[in-house]
Amino acid sequence: MDHFQLIDGVMRCEGVPLAEIAAEVGTPVYVYSTATMVRHAEVMRAALAPMPDPLIAYAVKANPNGAVLATLARAGLGADIVSGGEYVRARTAGIPADKIVFSGVGKTEAEMAEALKNGLYQFNLESDGEAETLSAVATALGMTAPVGFRVNPDVEAGTHAKISTGGAENKFGIPIDTALAAYRRAAALPGLAVQGVAVHIGSQLTNLAPLEAAFRKVGALIEQLRGAGLDIAVADLGGGLGIPHNPALPDPPSPEDYGAMVRRIAAGWGARLVFEPGRLIVGNAGILLSRVIRVKPGITHPFLIVDAAMNDLMRPALYDAWHAIEAVAPRGGKMIANVVGPVCESGDTFATARELDAVQAGDLVLFRTAGAYSAAMSSTYNSRPLTPEVLVDGDRWAVVRPRLAVEELIRAENVPDWLI
Ligand code: LLP
């Protein structure tokens, strides 16, 4: 459930009309609902509550805005981070060090040292080489790094190829079949405290079966590792649960279904469970608000040219992702259109032959499910300044990332002396 509702002809985010935000901030603009984020955090917490002290580490990559992170920190979530930058963001937003897990296949020595010095719950290592590097970094600092290995369970996640991560051919994790040897090597290295196992097989999963298969393999591995004398106290089950976004498709499994499945598989593990949801928390807590620039005739369907583009929301171009598109003030009636942005690429297409509310030049439209991997993945391609972001909380709202003028983008660059 989200808090973007059309009531009496007025589309609001919580108590705030979207037209008011568009009038004051301009378009395109991302709008986030505090109530939706907090609700999703609560639903996830409730679904996992029967397990002892689970750590819900929000995947910062989904939406790293400081106000979003501060909201989720207040809601009690930790953070799953994949870079030094995300570490700084998480701590700046008030997320405690002991709720931070550090994932990612390419952590650098500098990133390892920063996280170690400032504290974290666990590094999820992805190779022998990474274990050796972290051992050297920790030893040089006179510290001990808490670690787990991310294992690759070789499970087909059944999602888009570009967001599948648990197949043997993917770059992620160590092969689960040879994990014992990697654990033994790591346990023998100085400066590492081996404590956990981690897994993450992909994103926007709409079927629990691949997750269940992966978790069963993790359970078997924990037994094997303990049998070999390793003290495994933590099992990080990653993120990946899909969210509803297209009313024509069946809803994905609910957090309750997910929680029940996890309990069934992991109840006897005697390990602290960690979860890394990203999309589930913020995906449907955000929309992209945009204005129709003009409607241009096309061979089969008109082109609805909006002022948002692939640089603002690249999911349709990158993954053929489907985002609901609706009028903010429906005039009545429907149209079929190709919805496109102003960027100079044919890939700058949000929807093809889409039936949507009939709209005209000047009308506002919104793209739903734009709270995750949306502003986070935006760029300034075509010298379009990053889209501003707004956070709504009840009847109040604030710009949480302002629109930068193109002059500010230019000022951040240097033209060498010889060109002046
Ligand atoms: N943990 C790890 C180690 C991850 O790599 C990810 C996402 C997550 C947790 C969070 O997954 P979630 O619960 O959000 O599915 N840009 C793509 C999604 C990329 C996901 C990358 N990893 C998209 O827009 O669909």
Side-chain angles (χ1 to χ4, degrees), residues 10-29:
V10 181
M11 181 71 81
R12 289 188 166 81
C13 174
E14 304 189 25
V16 180
L18 291 181
E20 178 184 320
I21 294 172
E24 288 193 36
V25 185
T27 53
V29 55

Side-chain angles (χ1 to χ4, degrees), residues 43-44 46-48 51 205-209 211-212 215 241-242 251-265 275 280:
V43 166
M44 193 64 179
L48 303 172
M51 284 164 275
L205 306 189
T206 52
N207 183 347
L208 292 180
L211 287 165
E212 180 166 343
F215 297 168
L241 186 58
D251 276 354
S254 66
E256 291 76 16
D257 298 339
Y258 173 85
M261 180 273 283
V262 170
R263 277 206 301 288
R264 202 155 28 78
I265 310 292
F275 300 89
L280 186 86

Side-chain angles (χ1 to χ4, degrees), residues 35-364:
T36 310
M37 285 189 271
V38 171
R39 180 172 181 281
H40 291 165
E42 285 311 318
V43 166
M44 193 64 179
R45 196 199 314 279
L48 303 172
M51 284 164 275
D53 192 28
L55 171 60
I56 305 178
Y58 164 68
V60 171
K61 64 172 82 70
N63 188 328
N65 182 282
V68 168
L69 293 183
T71 303
L72 298 177
R74 279 184 177 211
L77 301 196
D80 163 47
I81 57 133
V82 291
S83 69
E86 287 190 353
Y87 184 88
V88 174
R89 279 187 178 276
R91 295 302 303 276
T92 305
I95 295 177
D98 63 1
K99 289 187 179 178
I100 295 181
V101 293
F102 198 158
S103 305
V105 70
K107 303 173 202 76
T108 64
E109 287 177 33
E111 289 174 321
M112 291 172 177
E114 274 313 296
L116 204 47
K117 281 190 276 188
N118 294 292
L120 83 169
Y121 183 64
Q122 179 168 297
F123 287 97
N124 289 338
L125 303 175
E126 301 220 16
S127 58
D128 282 331
E130 194 180 23
E132 282 158 22
T133 304
L134 180 58
S135 165
V137 169
T139 311
L141 290 170
M143 300 182 76
T144 302
V147 301
F149 273 105
R150 173 171 174 180
V151 292
N152 184 320
D154 194 17
V155 165
E156 266 317 310
T159 185
H160 192 284
K162 286 185 182 158
I163 51 176
S164 293
T165 55
E169 73 288 1
N170 295 128
K171 69 179 173 181
F172 297 100
I174 57 168
I176 197 161
D177 295 339
T178 54
L180 176 58
Y183 272 88
R184 282 204 167 113
R185 282 190 292 271
L189 290 171
L192 299 186
V194 177
Q195 64 175 34
V197 178
V199 72
H200 173 80
I201 61 169
S203 197
Q204 187 56 21
L205 306 189
T206 52
N207 183 347
L208 292 180
L211 287 165
E212 180 166 343
F215 297 168
R216 282 191 192 283
K217 289 188 174 195
V218 166
L221 176 65
I222 292 175
E223 226 177 283
Q224 185 192 24
L225 296 174
R226 286 181 178 156
L230 289 144
D231 185 13
I232 302 299
V234 178
D236 180 340
L237 299 182
L241 186 58
I243 58 172
H245 64 110
N246 182 344
L249 300 178
D251 276 354
S254 66
E256 291 76 16
D257 298 339
Y258 173 85
M261 180 273 283
V262 170
R263 277 206 301 288
R264 202 155 28 78
I265 310 292
W269 290 358
R272 185 184 190 199
L273 300 183
V274 179
F275 300 89
E276 303 172 350
R279 193 189 311 268
L280 186 86
I281 305 292
V282 291
N284 282 323
I287 57 104
L288 173 60
L289 186 56
S290 179
R291 201 176 284 283
V292 179
I293 298 176
R294 66 181 59 87
V295 184
K296 174 180 167 175
I299 297 284
T300 34
H301 303 294
F303 291 100
L304 201 64
I305 306 174
V306 298
D307 65 2
M310 65 189 288
N311 70 295
D312 305 299
L313 176 63
M314 75 184 298
R315 303 194 65 258
L318 201 52
Y319 316 112
D320 298 315
W322 193 99
H323 289 259
I325 306 171
E326 296 166 23
V328 166
R331 298 168 174 275
K334 296 279 176 192
M335 70 193 292
I336 296 180
N338 297 334
V339 184
V340 302
V343 158
C344 296
E345 297 207 24
S346 295
D348 186 21
T349 297
F350 292 116
T352 303
R354 175 76 64 90
E355 185 182 76
L356 76 168
D357 300 323
V359 288
Q360 302 173 3
D363 286 2
L364 290 170

